Each structure stands twice: as structure tokens, then as C-alpha cells.
Amino acid sequence: MYDGIVQDLIDEFGRLPGIGPKSAQRIAFHILQTPTFDVARLSQLLGELRERVRFCEVCGNVSEQERCAICRDPRRDGTLICVVEDAKDVSAIERTREFRGLYHVLGGAISPIAGVGPDELRITQLMQRLADGTVQEVILATNPNLEGEATATYLSRLLHSLEIRVTRLASGLPVGGDLEYADEVTLGRAFEGRRSI
Amino acid sequence: MYDGIVQDLIDEFGRLPGIGPKSAQRIAFHILQTPTFDVARLSQLLGELRERVRFCEVCGNVSEQERCAICRDPRRDGTLICVVEDAKDVSAIERTREFRGLYHVLGGAISPIAGVGPDELRITQLMQRLADGTVQEVILATNPNLEGEATATYLSRLLHSLEIRVTRLASGLPVGGDLEYADEVTLGRAFEGRRSI
């Protein structure tokens, strides 16, 4: 639809997740027509991103150093490890400010359909972290879906032999949600997990 | 939430229209974790965008040359000019394949609230294009909202003295739309503009 680079840029933006052709066009024109938008900075950041970002050698979280900011922080509780599928999950949990332990990023979940088995995940590294006996609880915070549950079940069996408490995040009704609109599985889980008050 | 460059990139993406913090994070991680995504190309395109893109000296459409592809195309009908607010509107009209004339991009619409008067728009350039008598019809395709209507009214008065047919795009029910859900103004316009069949 457009001459050269404008269309090329729209096409490239359109390859990003959640950006359709119309949004891509809107973004390209915004960059073109907004003098205050620092396009040089965005270009530079994109150019440097993969060079500068590595993954924490301990937990697998994103980091610009060998160990991520959380693993380097001496105030974090080293007896607690929260196992998540993805580095994005670390950020989601950090926002709650509920958890002061460390993380372990698996890099995905077991999914026979997608061809992801336990060997594709950072499970060996998790077992190595647990070997010295410091960790007293492993919280399995994989997603509450088929793959996440399968991964949590696999890990809980694997950790069974160790003298470590293994927990799973609670499933139930979302806070602020409406019982009437909850799906059956979630509502069922909420009944199973009911607590005395 | 993240170390250095990842957060910087999320922040920059978050400044783009239609991209919230969650989408920005998703995009940054997609780029980081998808080896097949050509981040170098996106970075390069962004870096070159403003250098390479100029606006067509005739119609104001985006172009990498002095005159845009439409103005250069000898098959286009030079007796017809369609006046639009923005270069994005050119692309929207081109997709219909209904119009084979030329365009004139105003660069906005008259809006006293936003401080945009006729002098901020490419109206003088439009009048210059009409001066040699080649153009026989000017189609006012500004948006069917307050600012667009004000601009169309202003232009129609200005063009009244010239021997040129001035038309406005039809307002009415959107094709595939549902009469029941049409707003009153649109439905009113559809009645006003009703045609014999």
C-alpha cells in the first residue's frame, strides 16, 4: 500500500505479537509524524537487546549480568524457590510484593503436542540448586492449564524423594470476579480448596 | 521490574499508540526469545525511517521520492482530486480500488479546540493545484465527524468561486451493519441521503 520503507516497517511491526496490520500502520505513522518520539533510541535499544541480555545462570531470569538482580539481592529468602514457566511470570509475581524468596525459570512447560519434554526445561539446574539442602520449600507456580499442571505433577513426583516441602499456588475464584461468570473448572477448584473462616 | 535494557525497551514500546505495558512486555520478550525474529532489520528500518521518508511535494502523501507513487502514475485521472485529512486515509481509499484520481492530504482537520486553523493545513497547496483548470471535481473525503465536517464546509465555501464540482462522501448505514444498532445521527443521514431504486 505504501512506498518502500514505510510498508517494510509496517510489515515488521505486524510480525510482533498482538499487532495487526492496522495497529502496525498506526504505529509506523505515529513514529513518522511525532517529532517528539525518540525513534533513534528505540532503534538503538532493539539493536543492542540481544547482545546485552543474557539469562541468569542461577535462575534463568532475564539479566544483563551473570546473575540477575533477584539472585544478587542478599535480602531475598534463599530457603524458598518459586518455580515458574517464563521470565514474564517472575515480573508478574514480583508485582504482588507477596514473595520474598528466589525464582527458578523453567523456560516453558511440558507439552507432548508442542514436543516439549522434561529435558527441554531447566529441571536439571533446579535439582542442582536443591542439592545442598538450603532450600526448604519449592512453590510450583506453573500456569493453571493442562501443560502447567502436567509440569507441576512431574516436578512434585521428582521432588518427592527430597526432604523439601512442595506447594502449588491456589486455584479458585479471581478476586473481584463474579461467581455467576466463573467457568465450571474454576468454580470446582474453588469448592475443593474452600477454607474455614 | 526488569534489569536495564529490557525495561528500557518495554518503556519505549509502551510509548507507541495502542501498546499498553503488558503488550510492550510481551513484545520485548517475543523479540528476545524468538531467534527467527529479525530484530536487526527492525532496528535498521526504524533508524532509517525518518531519513528516507519525505512527503510528496504535490499531494502530501508519504513517499521516498519528491513525488509519491500515485502522483507519478500516468494512469491516474488528473481531473479528480480526493481531499483527505491524513496519509493513512489515502491507503484506506486505495484499498477500495474505487477511486482512480489523485489525492490531496491536508495534514489534519480544522479544530479550534486543538488550535488547528485553515493556515495549519495544506489548503494553499490545494488551491495552487486547482489553478490551471485541469481538475474538474474535488471530492471532500475528510472524516464524518465534527472537525472533518467543519473542514469540508470551509473548503466547499472556498472552492465555490471556482468552476469545479465539489462533492462529499456519502454518509449512511455501514454495509453489513444492523439498522437496530445504528446511532441516531448515522440513521438520520441515511434517511436524508436515501436514493430511488
Side-chain angles (χ1 to χ4, degrees), chain B residues 46-168:
Chain B
L46 285 167
E48 292 178 8
L49 179 71
R50 287 194 190 150
E51 278 168 40
R52 277 171 56 181
V53 174
R54 55 174 87 195
F55 294 90
C56 173
E57 61 178 22
V58 178
C59 74
N61 190 13
V62 289
S63 177
E64 287 184 50
Q65 301 184 34
E66 285 184 3
R67 296 176 64 190
C68 75
I70 295 170
C71 286
R72 289 198 311 269
D73 186 346
R75 290 164 305 175
R76 307 289 301 214
D77 183 353
T79 67
L80 267 175
I81 285 187
C82 178
V83 176
V84 293
E85 293 181 20
D86 197 274
K88 287 194 284 287
D89 301 328
V90 171
S91 147
I93 295 171
E94 284 295 289
R95 275 194 290 271
T96 68
R97 300 178 181 275
E98 286 282 332
F99 180 70
R100 298 299 303 164
L102 301 175
Y103 291 93
H104 192 83
V105 179
L106 292 174
I110 294 171
S111 168
I113 294 167
V116 180
D119 295 344
E120 272 75 46
L121 306 177
R122 299 180 67 255
I123 292 177
T124 314
Q125 290 90 326
L126 174 64
M127 299 312 280
Q128 281 163 0
R129 288 180 75 182
L130 303 178
D132 70 359
T134 312
V135 177
Q136 282 158 27
E137 181 177 349
V138 171
I139 302 168
L140 301 174
T142 51
N143 288 325
N145 56 24
L146 201 68
E147 291 80 14
E149 296 288 1
T151 310
T153 306
Y154 178 88
L155 286 175
S156 68
R157 282 182 195 155
L158 201 65
L159 300 174
H160 195 68
S161 57
L162 306 172
E163 288 289 307
I164 295 176
R165 189 177 173 215
V166 179
T167 55
R168 178 95 176 98

Side-chain angles (χ1 to χ4, degrees), chain A residues 21-155:
Chain A
K22 288 251 170 166
S23 309
Q25 177 183 291
R26 199 172 151 214
I27 291 168
F29 273 86
H30 177 84
I31 294 173
L32 198 56
Q33 296 175 334
T34 314
T36 53
F37 184 82
D38 192 349
V39 65
R41 177 168 161 80
L42 180 56
S43 167
Q44 195 198 339
L45 288 172
L46 284 167
E48 291 178 9
L49 180 70
R50 287 194 189 151
E51 279 169 42
R52 278 171 56 182
V53 174
R54 54 175 88 195
F55 293 91
C56 174
E57 59 178 22
V58 179
C59 75
N61 190 12
V62 290
S63 177
E64 286 185 47
Q65 300 184 33
E66 285 184 2
R67 297 177 62 190
C68 75
I70 295 170
C71 286
R72 288 198 311 270
D73 186 346
R75 292 164 305 176
R76 307 291 301 215
D77 183 352
T79 66
L80 267 175
I81 286 187
C82 178
V83 176
V84 294
E85 293 181 21
D86 197 273
K88 287 194 286 285
D89 301 327
V90 172
S91 147
I93 294 171
E94 284 297 287
R95 274 194 291 269
T96 69
R97 299 177 182 277
E98 287 284 332
F99 180 69
R100 299 299 302 163
L102 302 175
Y103 291 93
H104 193 83
V105 178
L106 292 175
I110 295 171
S111 167
I113 293 166
V116 180
D119 296 344
E120 271 76 47
L121 306 176
R122 298 180 66 258
I123 291 176
T124 314
Q125 290 91 326
L126 175 63
M127 299 312 281
Q128 281 162 1
R129 288 180 76 182
L130 303 178
D132 71 357
T134 311
V135 177
Q136 283 157 29
E137 182 178 348
V138 171
I139 302 168
L140 300 174
T142 51
N143 288 326
N145 56 26
L146 200 68
E147 291 80 13
E149 295 288 2
T151 310
T153 306
Y154 178 88
L155 287 174

Side-chain angles (χ1 to χ4, degrees), chain B residues 12-27:
Chain B
E12 284 302 313
F13 271 120
R15 278 186 241 283
L16 294 172
I19 300 186
K22 289 252 171 166
S23 309
Q25 177 185 291
R26 197 172 152 215
I27 290 168

Side-chain angles (χ1 to χ4, degrees), chain A residues 8-24:
Chain A
D8 291 345
L9 190 65
I10 291 172
D11 293 343
E12 284 302 314
F13 272 120
R15 279 186 241 283
L16 293 171
I19 301 186
K22 288 251 170 166
S23 309

Side-chain angles (χ1 to χ4, degrees), chain A residues 159-196:
Chain A
L159 300 174
H160 196 66
S161 56
L162 305 172
E163 287 289 305
I164 295 175
R165 189 175 173 216
V166 180
T167 56
R168 178 96 178 97
L169 289 189
S171 272
L173 297 171
V175 176
D178 199 327
L179 201 130
E180 187 184 348
Y181 298 117
D183 64 284
E184 298 82 6
V185 182
T186 301
L187 199 51
R189 289 285 178 85
F191 267 94
E192 270 177 47
R194 69 191 181 276
R195 309 198 310 187
S196 306

